[in-house]
Amino acid sequence: KQWYQRRVAITAGTRRISGLSELHYWDRLKSLKLMSLQRRRERYCIIHVWKIFNNICPNDIEMKFKHNPRLGNKVIIPALNTKASKAAVSVYDHSFKVSAAQNVDHTAQRSD
């Protein structure tokens, strides 16, 4: 819900710029050379995990890393109890620790 409110605010904000009010949301972002909220969030996650890995910022969420000679460094995603409720699984899947690890690992696969 919070991401939707931000998108509405950005949509309304970019619409107020003269000459852009008639363009579609994605065209306005492109003309302003902005990334979408989702892309900015993914970029933040990747940078933050990189900082944790390189000991630039504290590892207060206790992320663990594993080096694989073929695949490089990977973030270890902690296991969840298989008997957890659906609400707990949803919170787990959307936690920074899990979503950031998935973004970093996914990005590493695309760059290979």
Side-chain angles (χ1 to χ4, degrees):
K1 194 170 187 178
Q2 187 179 19
W3 67 267
Y4 180 75
Q5 290 170 341
R6 279 195 210 137
R7 179 167 180 211
V8 169
I10 288 177
T11 302
T14 58
R15 205 177 273 155
R16 291 182 184 147
I17 299 172
S18 63
L20 298 180
S21 61
E22 300 300 320
L23 294 176
H24 188 267
Y25 172 71
W26 296 105
D27 296 329
R28 287 194 302 265
L29 288 179
K30 188 182 290 185
S31 67
L32 294 170
K33 296 181 181 169
L34 293 175
M35 293 184 280
S36 68
L37 290 175
Q38 179 181 358
R39 180 73 178 119
R40 283 187 266 170
R41 192 176 310 112
E42 289 172 356
R43 184 174 184 269
Y44 165 78
C45 289
I46 292 166
I47 290 170
H48 192 70
V49 170
W50 179 84
K51 286 180 176 182
I52 290 172
F53 178 74
N54 289 301
N55 296 320
I56 296 171
C57 67
N59 188 358
D60 54 350
I61 56 174
E62 299 177 10
M63 284 190 128
K64 295 182 179 151
F65 300 90
K66 172 177 77 169
H67 180 74
N68 183 315
R70 190 171 64 87
L71 301 174
N73 297 313
K74 294 289 208 177
V75 181
I76 299 172
I77 299 174
L80 179 67
N81 184 351
T82 57
K83 296 180 182 179
S85 68
K86 287 185 180 184
V89 171
S90 178
V91 169
Y92 169 81
D93 287 339
H94 292 92
S95 69
F96 178 82
K97 192 173 189 178
V98 174
S99 63
Q102 290 170 342
N103 282 335
V104 169
D105 289 345
H106 181 70
T107 304
Q109 289 172 358
R110 284 190 296 187
S111 65
D112 291 345

